Amino acid sequence: MKQITNWLKQISAVQAIQVVAIVLVFAFALAPLALAQFQTPDAGGTGLPNDTSISGFIIRIINIALTVAGLIAVLFLIIGGFRYITSAGNEEVAESAKKIITNSIIGIIIIILSFVIVRVISNAVANGNV
């Protein structure tokens, strides 16, 4: 266990971001394969999903981007918490971890508000109130 904690202390934020970016690239590359089985063809039998409008597509892309951003913010919250717990009295590391935690919480709040704004705008567009 001590070897793992020493290894995690040596990883910089840049290296952690690179690993997360690589994982996300593979996740996005494999997502169409995994999600293709859940799409049902429309009544015409074209094989396309039921919602083929441009606005629906844009809202879907925005929701996916906000979900990924939320997952990254939660990941940074976990990383900041781990660094704070393992700071072992080192004030510089503890302050850096507090900044990471604060910024990730601010990011999560902004992402939640963005979800609400997108939902309100999409409902207004769908109902024709714009």
Side-chain angles (χ1 to χ4, degrees), residues 14-90:
V14 174
Q15 291 172 332
I17 291 171
Q18 289 173 347
V19 169
V20 170
I22 290 171
V23 169
L24 288 176
V25 166
F26 282 115
F28 279 130
L30 297 176
L33 298 174
L35 296 176
Q37 61 186 341
F38 297 115
Q39 295 180 352
T40 58
D42 60 358
T46 61
L48 296 174
N50 293 334
D51 187 17
T52 57
S53 67
I54 298 296
S55 62
F57 177 73
I58 292 171
I59 290 170
R60 187 177 301 151
I61 295 297
I62 291 171
N63 283 336
I64 290 171
L66 288 174
T67 302
V68 170
L71 291 173
I72 291 171
V74 169
L75 179 69
F76 272 99
L77 183 64
I78 292 169
I79 290 170
F82 181 78
R83 285 190 176 183
Y84 185 73
I85 290 172
T86 59
S87 65
N90 188 347

